[in-house]
Amino acid sequence: MIRTLFAGFFLWATSCNLSLGQSYTFKPLTSGEDASLRGLSIVSDSVAWISGSKGSIGKTVDGGRTWQWTKPAGYEKLDFRDIEAFDASKAIVVNAGSPAYILMTTDGGKNWRECYKNTDSAIFLDGMDFWDRQSGLIFGDPIHNKLQLLKTTDGGLNWQNVSENLRNELAVGEAGFAASGTSLRTYGKGLAWIATGGAVSNVYFTSDYGYTWKVFKCPIIQGESSTGIFSMAFYDNKHGVVVGGNYLKDKENGNNVLLTADGGKTWTKPQLPVAGYRSGVTYISKSVLVATGTSGTDVSSDGGLNWHQLSGISFNVVQKSKKGSLILLAGNKGEIYQLLINR
């Protein structure tokens, strides 16, 4: 089923950013798909995939002007919280909750293959990322205080449980968040970070494709089941950002964004934080970052030191094209927007 461009108006950013020499436009692309959208993977300025509740998976091959929607047969009730796309033909989705499934398509979404199934009542997968076309990692909430880790080395066809590689036991009440599929990030050759929240917030780091791990404490707001890190992004192996807060109090912004310049070992507060709880963050360039959540979207033009709110529209996730400049945001009512930066 194809949904065409939503004939709506453009929402212009507030004038507080005009002094930065650029303005921001939120362009609505599609509306009406009855799903909460959280998984997003932008391959290029033309190709992007998206996933969400009620088994919904969408794809565009024209930069978001039109979308093709599908629901894999037999999996229509799943909540696909994360998706990883490689091109217009191949994509992998993972759902949250039990049973846990990993599905893959190699024909553009026409057919889906079940690559993994776990019926453990405690299984809850939170996010997925790939180092390259062959090697990828998925993490999930702890079972018996052990963070769940799945790894593939054959492009997603098979997944091995490597949870024992992370020897650290999680604290009682510590877990991950599947708010946007971005509390796991891979980078370069073998680097990856996993963020947790709840009773305690930590960042788990590997430099060897998940064989060994280190744990770094993160001083973001924490201590309740609704608090902690909900998303992170890294520009390189040193510079990164985490966002989160309390999703039950999404307009509060006390200690919900932090920066690192040493690969996650230590974290510092920005001078001016984001305006509320944020579940997605991404680098547009080394200096420009965008963060979004249910209470709005913010931008920083100085590497994350100062943030300015652009809009109060509710979104779950924001991503930038892996090989271009396309920036998309998605939310709870099937809405997908493009963020245009006008310099």
Side-chain angles (χ1 to χ4, degrees), residues 64-305:
R65 289 190 295 273
T66 60
W67 292 81
Q68 297 175 327
W69 293 94
T70 184
K71 295 187 178 185
Y75 306 92
E76 295 89 348
K77 295 182 179 181
L78 297 185
D79 189 354
F80 292 120
R81 293 291 183 93
D82 201 4
I83 188 167
E84 181 76 17
F86 301 86
D87 48 45
S89 298
K90 181 179 177 179
I92 298 171
V93 292
V94 58
N95 73 298
S98 178
Y101 295 94
I102 302 172
L103 308 180
M104 180 171 64
T105 182
T106 56
D107 59 7
K110 296 177 183 178
N111 297 283
W112 293 86
R113 171 177 178 173
E114 182 181 300
C115 301
Y116 174 86
K117 180 179 180 180
N118 189 328
T119 59
D120 190 320
S121 61
I123 193 72
F124 192 103
L125 301 180
D126 293 296
M128 165 178 57
D129 207 359
F130 274 71
W131 289 281
D132 50 49
R133 292 185 70 94
Q134 297 300 312
S135 300
L137 192 68
I138 291 175
F139 91 102
D141 284 353
I143 298 177
H144 303 303
N145 297 328
K146 295 290 294 184
L147 200 68
Q148 297 303 291
L149 296 174
L150 302 174
K151 183 178 178 181
T152 182
T153 56
D154 59 7
L157 285 173
N158 296 281
W159 294 84
Q160 178 186 5
N161 189 323
V162 294
S163 303
E164 293 303 317
N165 289 351
L166 204 166
R167 301 182 184 278
N168 305 76
E169 287 195 1
L170 273 67
V172 176
E174 179 185 1
F177 289 110
S180 63
T182 54
S183 48
L184 161 64
R185 294 289 197 175
T186 60
Y187 180 82
K189 295 183 178 180
L191 278 65
W193 297 261
I194 295 174
T196 62
V200 176
S201 282
N202 286 310
V203 173
Y204 298 86
F205 171 72
T206 179
S207 60
D208 55 9
Y209 293 94
Y211 288 104
T212 61
W213 294 84
K214 296 179 180 178
V215 57
F216 307 134
K217 294 185 180 298
C218 186
I220 199 169
I221 182 174
Q222 55 197 273
E224 301 178 44
S225 60
S226 56
T227 62
I229 304 169
F230 284 75
S231 178
M232 74 172 108
F234 278 83
Y235 180 76
D236 53 30
N237 65 334
K238 297 295 184 182
H239 297 87
V241 57
V242 294
V243 298
N246 187 339
Y247 72 83
L248 295 179
K249 301 175 181 178
D250 66 354
K251 293 184 179 179
E252 294 186 0
N253 69 339
N255 191 26
N256 63 339
V257 54
L258 296 171
L259 305 169
T260 182
D262 57 12
K265 295 178 183 178
T266 61
W267 298 88
T268 58
K269 291 184 178 181
Q271 297 174 7
L272 184 65
V274 295
Y277 157 78
R278 297 294 178 256
S279 57
V281 65
T282 192
Y283 278 89
I284 308 305
S285 65
K286 186 176 183 179
S287 59
V288 178
L289 297 87
V290 176
T292 198
T294 52
S295 62
T297 299
D298 309 271
V299 66
S300 171
S301 62
D302 57 6
L305 291 177

